[in-house]
Amino acid sequence: MDSRRPPLAPAYRTLPEYVRHWVELTPHRRAFTFVDHPTPNSRGVHRTLTWQRLDLRVRALAARLAEQAEPGARVALLCPQGTEYITGFLAALAAGMVAVPLYPPGLPGQGDRLVGVLGNARPAVVVTTGRVLAEVTDFCERAEVQVLAADRVPDTAALDWRAPEPDSDATAYLQYTSGSTRAPAGVEITHANVVANARQALAAYGADAHPVTCVGWLPLYHDMGLVLSVAAPVVRGVPSVLMDPAAFLHEPARWLRLLAAHPRALSAAPNFAYDYCASTVTEAQKEGLRLDGVAALINGSEPVRPGTADRFHAAFAAQGLAAEAHCPSYGLAEATVFVSAARPGRPLGRFALDRDALAAGKALPARPEDPRAVLLAGCGTPVGQRVRIVDPVAHALVAEGEVGEIWVQGANVGRGYWNNSAGTRRVFGASLGADAPGGWLRTGDLGTVLDGQLIVTGRLKDLIVVDGRNHYPQDVEATAQDAHQAVRRDRLAAFGVPGGTGGVGGAGERVVVVAEHTRTTSLADLDVPALTRAVRAAVSARHGLRLADVVLVAPGTVPRTSSGKVSRALTRARYLEGDYATESAG
């Protein structure tokens, strides 16, 4: 599975070189705009950096960083979402240092992860902003690390500063994985990696041929947020408009208004965000909204459901949204982010697969209306990289239509894991034999190729195995959340635990579902036994599984990763530790 496209011009190999190019060519054009929402009812306060202003702020901060650390030192970004985050990231790169995109202390449920990442990265400097300086300084006190407020560095610091010679093979930043299935690990992304991946993504979504405006709310410490809202606009020289994730969650219509306000908007969101918009944006908020100018809406970071795309389009078709704007995509931090995408302007690739065959590793077609069919969206094809489907045990290619591990090779694949040579060899150094030499990235994701499209079926480490049959947890979760209206959508985890009796009449893992109830109800008002019976019956009928336990918990209880995905691994660990023992179970 290969695709080649001519590179974008000019062909620089580091982001700071692109910044210098655009400031010389179009100094007064908009580069980055952050739309702040200081009050709950705010329509947005725009703060914009031109390329000239961006360049000045990057050079000033890079000069100050050079006074405090040597080239190659790590610079941790503990900034709120905003333009200071962007200048801090680019300044670290310009100074020849290694950026570590993170977030300020206080992000719900992520404090322990932040401590662990800082302990692993061992930054020489922490960059933050004046608004959270006291909080960050207090948090970093024991680490004995210098803390710098980006917005308190004067412009005059840029005077007489000279950037070091760019080295495209050097590590530009450490992208820490979200930790959905394992402990967070820092992927070394080189300057050449991020430029290559930005080019690949721009080509995939048609932004190499037509100007776009990148519009986003994904956090900048997340791989897709960083590449789509920072790297791609810098490489292409197009405007980037971004807002805070919390502002989106508070009022999702804000994202849609930004899409409508900017020509040929290109944006990305996880699957849940599209369902969230379809269910919560009111008719009054849709009034006057025009989405016919949207170039592409990337749907990624978790399995993409065709039903979600359908609901989102149905909700906003009257506002001019084209169904062909929806682009299911696949990627991961180890490949910088982007791997494969459906192209805008083409119908959604829909695949109905037989659930029993899929459990046995075969992708056989089924009738879409069959209740035992699994409905999946195609994630298109790669650009500028190679993708293979491989038997994860034999390390041999599987036939088309068979499920295997997704392996990737390309200029965008990271150098390896920071300070983890064993993990680097295991994940980044796979080989397919003489006809396909080493250097393949093992993604840990399962998928297949049908009709030339990559279809992602699940995560290798998340598989639930009962009676020798594979069950995909997201498939079980989809069944469970459809079984009762009080189960909160996309806020539940299915997983296997050791021992006991598994499926119908057989031995294997015991299967557990931990689910949040909706915010519109309370546990006291729910008929919990009826809910658990409904979930058990639905899972039994559709999957042939007997659930060992169904636990209903309060909203916000199921842990999530820093990128917003449910962490099945942490939910499972908490269940085994008895943390949910006082919750409602059945």
Side-chain angles (χ1 to χ4, degrees):
M1 196 175 191
D2 306 291
S3 183
R4 306 289 183 191
R5 290 285 291 270
L8 301 177
Y12 299 115
R13 298 198 68 197
T14 71
L15 295 182
E17 288 177 288
Y18 276 102
V19 172
R20 291 301 305 158
H21 170 80
W22 298 119
V23 77
E24 291 169 4
L25 193 67
T26 58
H28 303 298
R29 284 181 57 189
R30 287 186 305 132
F32 292 95
T33 298
F34 179 67
V35 183
D36 194 14
H37 296 85
T39 63
N41 297 320
S42 172
R43 298 281 291 189
V45 178
H46 291 60
R47 298 185 174 93
T48 295
L49 295 177
T50 64
W51 288 106
Q52 186 176 66
R53 182 67 184 158
L54 172 69
D55 176 64
L56 179 61
R57 292 306 303 155
V58 166
R59 288 189 291 111
L61 189 51
R64 188 56 54 86
L65 288 173
E67 295 174 358
Q68 299 186 356
E70 297 295 322
R74 272 79 62 210
V75 176
L77 303 171
L78 272 62
C79 301
Q81 191 100 329
T83 54
E84 291 88 0
Y85 202 116
I86 297 165
T87 56
F89 174 75
L90 293 172
L93 271 57
M97 299 177 188
V98 179
V100 186
L102 292 169
Y103 40 84
L107 187 67
Q110 299 301 320
D112 289 344
R113 177 180 181 272
L114 184 58
V115 170
V117 169
L118 289 175
N120 181 261
R122 298 190 179 280
V125 183
V126 166
V127 174
T128 187
T129 65
R131 181 160 64 91
V132 294
L133 178 60
E135 179 184 11
V136 170
T137 301
D138 182 63
F139 186 84
C140 295
E141 185 176 7
R142 292 185 181 179
E144 297 181 356
V145 61
Q146 301 176 83
V147 179
L148 177 65
D151 50 346
R152 295 186 179 178
V153 175
D155 293 348
T156 53
L159 296 175
D160 300 324
W161 181 75
R162 294 292 179 267
E165 192 69 24
D167 179 2
S168 62
D169 293 326
T171 300
Y173 61 99
L174 302 182
Q175 180 66 64
Y176 276 83
T177 60
S178 58
S180 58
T181 58
R182 54 184 166 79
V187 183
E188 291 191 54
I189 304 296
T190 69
H191 291 272
N193 289 154
V194 66
V195 169
N197 203 229
R199 289 170 173 271
Q200 291 162 346
L202 290 164
Y205 302 113
D208 56 341
H210 305 283
V212 297
T213 301
C214 295
V215 176
W217 55 266
L218 293 177
L220 295 179
Y221 56 79
H222 184 253
D223 47 15
M224 177 58 88
L226 189 64
V227 171
L228 190 70
S229 289
V230 181
V234 166
V235 168
R236 187 68 171 94
V238 296
S240 176
V241 180
L242 63 154
M243 57 187 278
D244 194 282
F248 164 76
L249 294 172
H250 178 77
E251 187 182 320
R254 290 166 168 167
W255 177 43
L256 303 179
R257 285 196 289 267
L258 288 183
L259 292 175
H262 296 89
R264 290 193 54 80
L266 170 63
S267 193
N271 194 84
F272 88 85
Y274 294 99
D275 273 328
Y276 184 46
C277 286
S279 62
T280 59
V281 175
T282 67
E283 292 301 317
Q285 291 171 328
K286 294 178 186 178
E287 192 71 31
L289 191 68
R290 296 303 307 171
L291 298 173
D292 46 344
V294 173
L297 292 174
I298 303 165
N299 185 335
S301 84
E302 56 190 77
V304 182
R305 302 172 188 143
T308 295
D310 293 340
R311 285 188 292 272
F312 186 77
H313 178 249
F316 300 104
Q319 282 66 50
L321 180 69
E324 294 77 15
H326 210 87
C327 300
S329 304
Y330 167 71
L332 69 165
E334 285 81 353
T336 305
V337 62
F338 166 81
V339 171
S340 179
R343 305 301 190 260
R346 301 180 188 177
L348 189 76
R350 302 169 183 272
F351 297 88
L353 304 179
D354 181 271
R355 179 175 283 106
D356 292 335
L358 199 60
K362 305 285 186 181
L364 299 182
R367 290 180 290 108
E369 64 274 12
D370 187 334
R372 295 185 63 81
V374 177
L375 304 179
L376 297 171
C379 291
T381 57
V383 171
Q385 50 192 302
R386 300 196 292 171
V387 171
R388 297 289 184 267
I389 307 299
V390 180
D391 183 313
V393 177
H395 290 195
L397 296 175
V398 302
E400 181 167 340
E402 292 188 4
V403 175
E405 186 180 10
I406 301 169
W407 287 21
V408 178
Q409 191 178 71
N412 55 298
V413 174
R415 188 194 305 281
Y417 293 122
W418 171 255
N419 281 344
N420 186 348
S421 56
T424 296
R425 286 192 299 271
R426 183 179 66 253
V427 174
F428 290 84
S431 176
L432 276 172
D435 58 333
W440 288 86
L441 166 66
R442 297 191 61 177
T443 68
D445 292 314
L446 294 169
T448 188
V449 175
L450 290 176
D451 298 337
Q453 290 206 52
L454 177 65
I455 301 168
V456 182
T457 59
R459 183 82 181 155
L460 185 60
K461 291 184 178 180
D462 278 346
L463 274 181
I464 302 169
V465 183
V466 178
D467 290 341
R469 296 176 70 246
N470 296 332
H471 297 272
Y472 295 95
Q474 71 271 16
D475 197 16
V476 176
E477 291 158 6
T479 299
Q481 71 184 13
D482 289 340
H484 197 284
Q485 61 183 9
V487 177
R488 191 178 179 200
R489 299 193 69 85
D490 299 311
R491 292 295 183 268
L492 69 166
F495 49 87
V497 295
T501 300
V504 178
E509 286 188 299
R510 295 185 300 123
V511 185
V512 174
V513 169
V514 176
E516 296 181 6
H517 62 75
T518 57
R519 291 189 179 277
T520 56
T521 188
S522 67
L523 200 60
D525 294 333
L526 281 173
D527 185 345
V528 176
L531 183 151
T532 56
R533 284 196 301 270
V535 170
R536 289 177 181 277
V539 171
S540 176
R542 182 164 290 183
H543 305 276
L545 283 174
R546 183 175 69 82
L547 294 179
D549 206 356
V550 177
V551 183
L552 194 65
V553 298
T557 306
V558 174
R560 287 183 284 166
T561 69
S562 62
S563 60
K565 294 180 289 186
V566 165
S567 175
R568 298 187 185 100
L570 187 52
T571 307
R572 179 180 183 274
R574 290 182 178 178
Y575 174 84
L576 291 173
E577 290 167 2
D579 287 6
Y580 301 121
T582 59
E583 304 288 349
S584 177

